[in-house]
Structure formats: structure tokens, C-alpha cells
Amino acid sequence: MPIQLLKQIYPEVELGIWKIQETADELLGKLRLSEVEMHYYQSLRKGSRAIQWLSSRVLLRQMIQTDEFIDFRIDAHDKPYLFNFPYHFSISHSHQFAAVIISETCLVGLDIEEIHPKIERIAHKFMSDIEMSYLQNENRILQLYACWSAKEALYKLYGKKGVSFRDHILLNPFSYTSAGQISATLAIGRFFKYFSINYQLVENYMMAWVID
């Protein structure tokens, strides 16, 4: 897995992104999966989705720097966590890339998406009317992907069900560049908090991450 980016965001937060070139068998040889994980892997259709799933776990293992079994578990809100390692983490993958962010002290969220003009057709589902009015005509598709990935990363950090990207996550206006920050508010029920979300264009993919 040739590294594309390895970034030490803070002393306690690390982000990695890798370009996937291995076969499924090569990736399986680098992992120690539980019976539940193996059953899930076998339930996936052979092809890119299975390879992406495997590669994200290989990348996490390399970032933690362990050969031991990693005990993945799921909480009551379907958020994955590590039972036997003291790391918060978030995983994302899309076509050729797998990405992972880890921290021993901070909650984290991460998303990566391949860029495609089709996002225009679904923008109204995750963007409010106010947010749509802020979009720039220049780089509109890229800005939409920055918005989508930012909301997805924040959703993963929050880690609870019932979040509406359109109604509960509000992004402040921002001028799109190939790498930048977006100020956001997450307001759901009694929970209300401001966040600063980072995004970055990597080849034809948009990646966003958030730390709390």
C-alpha cells in the first residue's frame, strides 16, 4: 500500500491515506480477523468494496503499529470502537483510497469521497437552502464535495443516530480552495456545539476530518 499522505495533525492525532494496489488475498495476509469480521468480509461482493474494507483495516493496523489482534466492536449507536487499544479512530474509503485518523485523546471523524458531477442531483438532501445560496459558481462541484465530506466527518465524530445532514449540521459560508477549513454547528436535541472542519483535495478525491 504506497502511502499518499501521512499527517501528524497534533502530537496526539495522526491521519493517513493510502492508494490501494493490493489484491484481497494480499491484504488478508496482513490482517487477523475475528470470526464476525471474516463472516462480514465474506458477505461482501468480491471486488472493490471488499478490497476497500480490508485496506482500511490494514492501514489502521500500520498506524497503530501492532501485530496483535485488533478487537473491533460496535456500540449501541453502531459506532465502531477498539476494545483492546486506547485509540479513538475513524475510517473511510472510496474506490482507490483508504483513509484513517487516530487519536488517544480526541474524538475524531473522517470522510473521503471520489468526486463526480452527480452530487448536484442530491445536494438538496444534505444542504439547506441557506447553505446552497452560499455556493460559488466556480468550483461548485468541488465545494459541494467539501460540504458533504465535512458533514459526514462530523456525523462520524458525533457517533449517534438520528442526525440529519440538512437540518442538524449547518456550515458557515466559506471560499473554496484546494485545502481549507469550514466552521460548522451541530445542533440536535439538547446538543449544540461549534466545530472547525478541515478539508483537502487529494487527486480526484475530497477528504475532510474533524477533531474534538
Side-chain angles (χ1 to χ4, degrees):
M1 296 173 67
I3 191 166
Q4 186 75 14
L5 174 71
L6 186 64
K7 178 178 289 192
Q8 197 76 38
I9 300 172
Y10 298 114
E12 68 276 17
V13 182
E14 187 174 38
L15 183 151
I17 176 173
W18 296 71
K19 182 170 283 188
I20 305 166
Q21 297 182 348
E22 292 81 3
T23 65
D25 287 341
E26 288 173 330
L27 292 167
L28 272 172
K30 301 176 184 291
L31 292 171
R32 296 174 61 186
L33 299 180
S34 68
E35 290 185 12
V36 173
E37 288 175 310
M38 181 59 74
H39 183 268
Y40 177 77
Y41 164 68
Q42 291 172 344
S43 73
L44 298 173
R45 292 182 178 180
K46 292 182 178 180
S48 61
R49 186 180 175 196
I51 289 174
Q52 291 161 15
W53 186 85
L54 292 170
S55 65
S56 62
R57 278 152 177 75
V58 172
L59 176 55
L60 176 65
R61 176 176 291 278
Q62 293 189 11
M63 290 175 67
I64 293 177
Q65 299 181 355
T66 183
D67 292 324
E68 297 179 25
F69 170 71
I70 298 176
D71 190 354
F72 284 90
R73 300 196 181 183
I74 303 295
D75 69 14
H77 297 275
D78 294 330
K79 182 177 182 178
Y81 67 96
L82 304 182
F83 183 76
N84 59 334
F85 283 91
Y87 289 96
H88 301 288
F89 77 100
S90 184
I91 283 176
S92 187
H93 44 73
S94 180
H95 298 277
Q96 290 184 309
F97 284 99
V100 173
I101 188 170
I102 61 172
S103 176
E104 291 190 72
T105 59
C106 305
L107 295 177
V108 291
L110 172 70
D111 185 59
I112 187 168
E113 302 285 344
E114 185 180 30
I115 294 165
H116 194 282
K118 67 182 180 182
I119 196 171
E120 281 274 21
R121 300 199 301 266
I122 62 168
H124 66 281
K125 295 183 178 180
F126 67 90
M127 297 279 284
S128 69
D129 293 341
I130 293 175
E131 290 170 324
M132 291 292 288
S133 72
Y134 297 154
L135 294 176
Q136 302 162 270
N137 290 327
E138 186 179 5
N139 296 319
R140 181 181 176 88
I141 298 299
L142 293 171
Q143 192 172 18
L144 277 171
Y145 268 99
C147 292
W148 168 263
S149 289
K151 292 194 177 196
E152 180 70 24
L154 185 50
Y155 167 75
K156 288 183 177 179
L157 180 147
Y158 180 65
K160 295 181 175 62
K161 297 177 180 178
V163 175
S164 165
F165 283 20
R166 178 184 169 90
D167 299 328
H168 300 142
I169 301 175
L170 178 63
L171 306 180
N172 290 334
F174 68 102
S175 296
Y176 175 82
T177 56
S178 60
Q181 290 186 331
I182 307 171
S183 297
T185 303
L186 175 58
I188 179 170
R190 296 182 178 179
F191 184 91
F192 184 94
K193 193 167 185 177
Y194 296 104
F195 294 89
S196 181
I197 306 171
N198 292 273
Y199 70 90
Q200 181 173 338
L201 183 66
V202 181
E203 295 187 11
N204 192 44
Y205 293 76
M206 188 64 67
M207 180 171 62
W209 65 93
V210 60
I211 302 161
D212 185 24

